Amino acid sequence: MSESIIEKHLKKLTIFVAVLSLAILTAGGIVTFSLNRVQQDAIDSRIQREVEKYSDNLHQKLQVDFQTIYTLSAFLEFNEGLEKESFSRGLLGANNHNGFVRMGYFGRNGTGVRVTRGKSIEMDKKLEEVTPEMQEIIRKAWEGEDGFSGVIYDTELEKQVLGYAVPVYRGEEIIGALVATGEADSLKEILTNDVLFGGNGHIQLINSQGEYVLPYETEDIFSGDYFSQKEEERITDVLDSQESCFASLEYKGHRYRLYIEPVGIKDWSLFGIEAVNESNKFLTQMILITRVTFSVILAAVIVFIFYGYRLMKKKNRELIQYAYYDSLTGAFNSEKFQQELAKVMKKQETYALAGLNIRQFKFINEIFGRNQADSLLCHVKDVLEENTGEGEYFCRNSADMFLVLLKGEERKEIQRRIQDIMEKIAAFSANLNHDYDIQMYCGISLIPQGIKTDTATMQTTHTMFALEKARSLPRNSIWFYDLNLHQEEILQNYVESHMNQALENGEFKMYLQPKFDLRTGRLSGAEALVRWIRGDGKVIYPGQFIPIFESNGFCAVLDMYMTEQVCRLIRKWIDQGIRPIPVSVNHSKILFYETDYVGRMEKLIEKYETPARWITLEILEGLAMENIDKLNQVIASLKEIGFRISMDDFGSGYSSLNTLGKLDIDELKLDKGFMEGIDGTDQQKQKIILEHIIMISRSLEISTVAEGIETKENEQMIQELGCDFGQGYYYCRPIPAEEFHEKYMQKGKK
């Protein structure tokens, strides 16, 4: 995963955090809004009910008052001939028994009589002597309509009063108006109620200007800074148009809900208001708890996510450091370097990819210790850092191998820079306090600008091929990837991509090279060797594919395949009545570490019913150097089945005579290098060494086979040294199994 992808993940996480926080905030808002809505609906419903109830009470009071007056007016109609004085006394008596403070009668001529509770009768009262409001409703009654003055101030009574007037008929003719005056406080009794809205609100009577009809704490509802200008204008319009509406206001930290409804009397409206916070404490507490809960949850989530985000970002930085940087040196690792290399290869610039390796680094580790070896690697990193510029990269690819990407394509300049880097790295020798010469080797592949065909991996492979070539050269060698290396790379790619298919197609052919008894000169056995012959007839030689198979592990598969071919051949000889000869087959060390190796070998000989004594398994001496005890356990199991064990190429590597005494082998094959050495200047020394190896082997009851016998002189000399068997081109080159069968097994030729 690249750094950009990790950054994208972090951005996605940030967006997720924001969305989650917004979702929690929205959910809290929705719940709070819903509870507020429920609370507001409950308050609105309650205010509306109370206002409507008080409106009904107001209408009922006025209706009762008018009904009382109409009853008296009917009395006047019925008593047509009643004298004025008797009428006045009757009116006074009626007034004393109803709720009015004053009553009167005014004929259409503008003269009338008026009685006041607790006062004398006023006869011949002129219309002009009463208040203008009373004059207006009297004239209205003369016109046949009920008259109501609303709340007016009576200077004589010195109080707020209500004026009523109804027409008085005689037949179909209106002869006058019966008037009554009631106390305005009777309206207060209707509107004033301490338990209204649970004591958390009140209802007032207002006119179209918002003024209180009855005396109140202020002149009108707009006194004081209760409403915004916009809300005040809206309420004013509602009052003017005699409509109903709800509104909200805040005052001294408290929220209020109000309702205005026209009464239908004069320009009056009922104004109901209730404190929201006090009207429904349960819902208010629920809303508060909900807000606090969601706020706490949101805060906790934000804190948790923020902490998690920071922790993840820190861990991602650590992950990036771990994923893309070498823990020892701090340089890029291979993964990060390959990403940068892939980007660079798309640019219109030329580069050179160099691989640097320290010769015999493992000995530096062993001789000077791991700390000094690690310091050397850090020194290499520092040198590369100092000698690379902008747009140039390097990494510790593995162990002591570094990859460096340099700008340019001029070979001489690239070589000069690499040599300079090598010299600066070699200067670390002074830190070792020993006269140790640090040597390196380098492989380089050039990258043309804007290359499209090669991948970063392929370009690195080119560099590795050049590095491998440089390793075979002396001292601080530098090798550029060229056509020859390219051909080797093509072959390696072909080998690795076709090996499994070649096995299925039977392209791996078994060749046999005979071995002869040096005492009798007779055929004593053969070695099975593999040749890769493609379907088109082209041959891939063992030296071209065996090292690759040893590297990728396919040699174990091929070894078992060759063993099966040997079993088939021996089975064929037995079936044809031919006495078999021992056939040896190479087995790589990978097989010896497989847990089912011995079992598979046993099943193989059981499958072909082949006696195991005719098969010799050849192992390399390098295997014995690793774990002798483990190897002996496997050898013992194989020998118990009947297989013979041979050590191949003894003397080609770091041979140890001590190994011969510890390994339970049956045969020792002397490397052909001994034959080449005997023909050289140190002939006598080589003969002495070879003679003693043969003598020790004989003492250990281990037979010896000399490889690489190419001349009569070789054969004669090895016979004199007491070697048991010989193998080489002097006798016969490796030939196909069919040809071997015809030449040696059918005809019995030597």
Side-chain angles (χ1 to χ4, degrees), residues 295-312:
S295 297
V296 170
I297 292 174
L298 179 61
V301 168
I302 291 175
V303 169
F304 175 76
I305 294 178
F306 178 73
Y307 175 76
Y309 175 79
R310 288 190 61 187
L311 183 63
M312 183 174 291

Side-chain angles (χ1 to χ4, degrees), residues 244-294:
S244 59
C245 78
F246 286 98
S248 298
L249 63 89
E250 289 194 16
Y251 182 67
K252 293 184 178 180
H254 295 281
R255 286 199 315 118
Y256 295 89
R257 189 70 175 162
L258 61 88
Y259 176 63
I260 297 173
E261 181 176 279
V263 178
I265 301 170
K266 307 293 284 181
D267 62 346
W268 291 354
S269 293
L270 282 171
F271 173 80
I273 186 168
E274 181 178 4
V276 174
N277 296 340
E278 300 297 329
S279 63
N280 195 329
K281 290 186 177 180
F282 176 75
L283 270 177
T284 302
Q285 289 175 353
M286 283 295 296
I287 293 171
L288 180 61
I289 291 171
T290 301
R291 286 176 176 172
V292 171
T293 301
F294 272 96

